[in-house]
Amino acid sequence: VVFILLAKIYDKSYSRKASAFEWEKKVNVYFINENESVRANDCSLVSPLVRNILNAETLGPGALEALFKGPTKQKMDSGYVTSLNSGVLVKQFEVKNGVAYVDLNSKFNEKVAGACRVTAIRSQVERTLLALPDIDQVVLSVEGKSDGILEP
């Protein structure tokens, strides 16, 4: 009986100390706010929205995944949109000497046209990653190829 009582007390104190929330990290992901970008006539103008990333070890890919999910319905009603295609996935992510090397699947640049959209996409991805610690530059590739990726 004493063992069972101690096990229950230990279990309750352990669950209070170690929760999933201790492993969350808040990051900014950048979306277009149509109200602001249209008024400013600036395709690169993006605004941050806070998202929680569950594991600090995957902070960069986690921030990108949050970006690729797009704004919530509530934020869309407030004018936030994304220029990114749905279905974009991170295939490879590595940071070396402050440079984030990001390889994405082919959905990233599928049917992307127009200088304004290209500028908005680049701004969303770069601002999201540059807001993270230890990232000073972003190099994008799609399916391992970087030639001509979203060049305005």
Side-chain angles (χ1 to χ4, degrees), residues 8-137:
K8 286 185 177 185
I9 290 170
Y10 175 78
D11 185 49
K12 287 182 182 177
S13 67
Y14 178 77
S15 66
R16 271 187 253 125
K17 290 180 184 173
S19 71
F21 296 107
E22 292 176 8
W23 296 100
E24 287 184 343
K25 174 83 174 162
K26 290 186 184 304
V27 296
N28 286 325
V29 293
Y30 288 79
F31 296 101
I32 299 155
N33 184 319
E34 289 184 318
N35 301 326
E36 294 174 12
S37 63
V38 169
R39 190 172 346 135
N41 197 25
D42 183 355
C43 298
S44 68
L45 185 62
V46 291
S47 300
L49 295 177
V50 176
R51 296 286 171 88
N52 290 326
I53 305 304
L54 291 179
N55 187 340
E57 291 180 18
T58 60
L59 192 59
L64 286 176
E65 288 174 17
L67 175 67
F68 298 155
K69 287 180 183 176
T72 62
K73 170 82 170 95
Q74 181 183 13
K75 292 299 182 181
M76 288 171 70
D77 292 343
S78 299
Y80 286 89
V81 297
T82 184
S83 286
L84 293 156
N85 290 326
S86 61
V88 177
L89 299 172
V90 177
K91 293 184 70 177
Q92 187 173 353
F93 186 95
E94 184 177 19
V95 178
K96 288 183 184 176
N97 300 320
V99 180
Y101 296 92
V102 184
D103 188 41
L104 304 167
N105 69 349
S106 62
K107 289 284 187 181
F108 180 71
N109 61 1
E110 186 175 274
K111 298 181 183 177
V112 173
C116 189
R117 182 167 182 206
V118 168
T119 300
I121 290 171
R122 180 173 290 285
S123 185
Q124 282 187 257
V125 172
E126 287 181 348
R127 292 287 306 271
T128 295
L129 290 174
L130 292 174
L132 300 175
D134 302 326
I135 297 178
D136 303 314
Q137 184 181 354

